[in-house]
Amino acid sequence: MNRRYVIFYWHLFSARDWQRFACDAMIARGYTVQVIELGEALESLKICDLARSDFTSVAQTSRPADKAAVLSVLDRLTPRDLILTLIPIQPSYLWLHLELGRRGLHYVQLSLGRLPTRPTWRLLARYDSCSAATVFFQSFSHLAYRIKFHLKLIAEMGLDYFRIPPPLLWGRAGSWRDLISTEGVHLWRSEVVELESLDVAWARASEHVAINVPNTAFAVYVDESLHDHPDYAITGIPAPVEKESFFPALRQTFDRIEREQGLEVVVALHPKANYSPQELEQYFGNRQAISAQTPALIQNSVLVLLHNSTSVAYAVLSRKPILFLTNHDIDKSWLRSDLDVRSHWLDQPIHNIDVVDSNELNGIPRPIVDERRYADFESHFLRSPQAKVGTAVEIVADRFEALAP
C-alpha cells in the first residue's frame, strides 16, 4: 500500500497524541505517517514555548513556517491519502479546508472526545417537569448561539464559507448531535461513522494494567493542573484558580474524606502537569501521586474527585460515584458552568472546598450512582449502541479505503 496518513494539528503533537490517533497501527497497515503542526504558519503560535517535560512534539512532526510552506505540503498529497484535520473551526484554519477542496483532496473529521456543554430538557423530563420546561426554552438561546457562530464565519469569510468542502467522513462517538453544529462546517453532508470515544479505548487498554495502589479502599483525585495548564496559553483563557488558596483547601478536603470515609486519597496526575517533587508534597500533602494511570486508578477506586476533566468518562464507564469539586475562584470563572452541566447529566453533587459547614453532621457525603443517568451519558457521548468496537482510526481507514481504493 502506498498511502499517507496525514494529520493536520493546530499545536504541539505529543507522544500521547501519537498513541491516541493510532499512528503505529497505521504504519503497520502500510501507511506513511506525516504530522503537520499548523499553529505557527496560520496564527503565529509559538509552539516551541508550549513544550514541558513529557509534553513535547514527536520526532515525526514538521512545522511549516508560513502558508506557502503549507501549500507545498498539500501539493504533494493525493486523493488516496487519509487526511485527518484536528484544528479549530475558525477562518485562519478553515483556509486549509478550502485549499484541500481546490486540490480535490478529501479529509476526515473526528469527534471522539465529546462532553455535554449544556443541560437537556429530555433528561429532566423524567424527573422534574418544571425544570425540564425551563431548560427547553433555554435551549433556544443555545440554538441562537450556534446560528450566530456560523453567521460570524460567513461575515469573516464571505462566499468562501459556502465553498468549504464537508469532511468525506465524520467519525463520531455517541449519538448526541446538535441541529446546527459548532463541531465543524457542513457536517450534515458527511458520511457518519459511529465510533467509540478515545476514552473508551483508553479504559479498555487499562483493564489489565498492573498499578501500585493502596491495599485499602481509596478515592482518586483527578488532577487537572488548573493553575498552570499549557492549554491556557494556547487558547488565551485565564487559569480558573490561584494556587495559593486552591491547594490548601484541596488538602483539607482530602483530609476530611480520609477521616470521615476511611478512604485513602490517591492523586492521578495530569499528563501535562509539570510539578517538581517539592511541589507535589506542597500541593497534595504526603499522598501517592501517579502519572499516566488515570483510567486504571478510577477503575480500582470507590470514589472519584474531579473538576472538569474528560476523565469523567472513565468514571461513567466504571460506574463510579463522582464528587465534583469547586471553590470560590472556580465559581466565578468560565469553569463553573461546565461543572454544573456534568453534574446535571450524572446527578452527582458539587462540593465547594472553600466552605466548611459546621452543620454538616455527617461530613462530606459519598454520592450514589444512578445507572440510568450514567447509561444515558455513555450512549450520548462515549459510544452509541451502533458504535463499531475497535480502534477508531482503523475503522475510519477501512471505510476510507473502500471509498478511495
Side-chain angles (χ1 to χ4, degrees):
M1 182 182 295
N2 185 23
R3 296 181 189 260
R4 295 181 184 91
Y5 174 39
V6 184
I7 302 174
F8 286 103
Y9 204 65
W10 67 304
H11 58 89
L12 191 153
F13 193 90
S14 67
R16 179 177 171 84
D17 297 313
W18 182 271
Q19 185 178 358
R20 288 167 69 200
F21 297 104
C23 294
D24 286 332
M26 293 296 281
I27 291 173
R29 196 179 177 106
Y31 283 74
T32 300
V33 176
Q34 189 175 0
V35 180
I36 315 296
E37 295 175 341
L38 293 170
E40 289 191 8
L42 301 189
E43 61 171 333
S44 301
L45 181 67
K46 298 299 182 184
I47 297 176
C48 59
D49 293 343
L50 304 175
R52 53 166 65 184
S53 59
D54 295 331
F55 183 54
T56 58
S57 295
V58 296
Q60 294 84 351
T61 58
S62 63
R63 197 174 293 165
D66 51 32
K67 285 187 174 182
V70 176
L71 292 175
S72 178
V73 173
L74 299 184
D75 288 338
R76 295 192 293 271
L77 302 180
T78 75
R80 298 178 68 253
D81 297 325
L82 176 54
I83 300 170
L84 179 61
T85 59
L86 302 170
I87 53 182
I89 308 303
Q90 59 191 49
S92 57
Y93 287 93
L94 290 173
W95 168 86
L96 176 73
H97 294 146
L98 285 167
E99 295 299 330
L100 289 170
R102 290 189 179 110
R103 289 161 177 76
L105 299 173
H106 302 293
Y107 70 96
V108 171
Q109 183 167 323
L110 298 180
S111 300
L112 302 182
R114 311 168 89 197
L115 287 173
T117 57
R118 65 180 189 277
T120 169
W121 64 271
R122 292 183 180 87
L123 181 64
L124 278 173
R126 302 174 184 167
Y127 310 97
D128 185 342
S129 57
C130 292
S131 297
T134 301
V135 172
F136 173 77
F137 289 107
Q138 288 175 347
S139 66
F140 289 99
S141 66
H142 293 287
L143 175 61
Y145 164 78
R146 297 195 297 278
I147 294 173
K148 180 181 177 182
F149 176 88
H150 286 274
L151 289 175
K152 186 173 184 291
L153 289 179
I154 294 171
E156 294 180 11
M157 299 184 69
L159 292 178
D160 276 346
Y161 170 88
F162 300 99
R163 298 188 183 104
I164 298 170
L168 177 68
L169 300 172
W170 179 27
R172 188 184 73 184
S175 59
W176 183 266
R177 189 170 188 175
D178 283 320
L179 178 61
I180 298 175
S181 176
T182 55
E183 293 180 88
V185 177
H186 312 321
L187 294 179
W188 57 274
R189 292 163 54 193
S190 305
E191 179 178 330
V192 174
V193 183
E194 296 286 357
L195 303 168
E196 296 179 324
S197 76
L198 293 171
D199 294 311
V200 172
W202 283 116
R204 183 181 295 114
S206 301
E207 288 176 354
H208 306 293
V209 172
I211 54 175
N212 182 22
V213 296
N215 293 325
T216 58
F218 69 92
V220 58
Y221 169 68
V222 180
D223 169 50
E224 298 176 40
S225 194
L226 285 181
H227 73 296
D228 187 32
H229 198 297
D231 285 1
Y232 300 152
I234 298 170
T235 59
I237 61 175
V241 301
E242 297 288 342
K243 63 181 180 181
E244 292 78 11
S245 58
F246 174 73
F247 285 108
L250 185 66
R251 289 195 306 274
Q252 291 178 2
T253 300
F254 292 167
D255 290 341
R256 288 189 62 191
I257 290 172
E258 289 174 338
R259 181 176 64 253
E260 297 170 359
Q261 300 196 19
L263 301 175
E264 185 172 338
V265 174
V266 175
V267 178
L269 293 173
H270 192 279
K272 296 180 184 178
N274 197 31
Y275 304 119
S276 68
Q278 295 77 19
E279 286 174 326
L280 283 175
E281 184 171 357
Q282 176 187 354
Y283 294 162
F284 304 114
N286 187 24
R287 293 180 172 88
Q288 191 173 3
I290 302 174
S291 297
Q293 298 287 350
T294 302
L297 288 170
I298 289 176
Q299 288 165 4
N300 287 276
S301 70
V302 298
L303 175 63
V304 179
L305 312 171
L306 53 74
H307 308 284
N308 188 41
S309 172
T310 58
S311 294
V312 68
Y314 306 135
V316 171
L317 292 167
S318 300
R319 300 300 193 259
K320 301 295 182 180
I322 302 167
L323 187 64
F324 290 97
L325 301 181
T326 188
N327 74 345
H328 294 330
D329 287 338
I330 291 174
D331 284 349
K332 294 180 290 186
S333 78
W334 53 268
L335 183 58
R336 178 57 200 245
S337 62
D338 288 337
L339 265 70
D340 289 333
V341 172
R342 314 291 192 262
S343 172
H344 155 80
W345 270 89
L346 296 170
D347 194 28
Q348 298 290 279
I350 298 174
H351 175 75
N352 190 323
I353 63 176
D354 285 342
V355 175
V356 179
D357 188 352
S358 59
N359 296 320
E360 199 171 36
L361 299 178
N362 297 320
I364 299 174
R366 188 180 304 183
I368 298 173
V369 170
D370 184 325
E371 168 60 29
R372 192 173 183 183
R373 300 284 276 262
Y374 274 52
D376 280 340
F377 188 103
E378 180 177 341
S379 65
H380 278 88
F381 301 104
L382 305 181
R383 53 183 172 191
S384 70
Q386 294 76 36
K388 294 178 172 61
V389 177
T391 305
V393 170
E394 290 200 88
I395 292 170
V396 167
D398 287 340
R399 183 60 186 146
F400 175 77
E401 290 166 12
L403 294 173

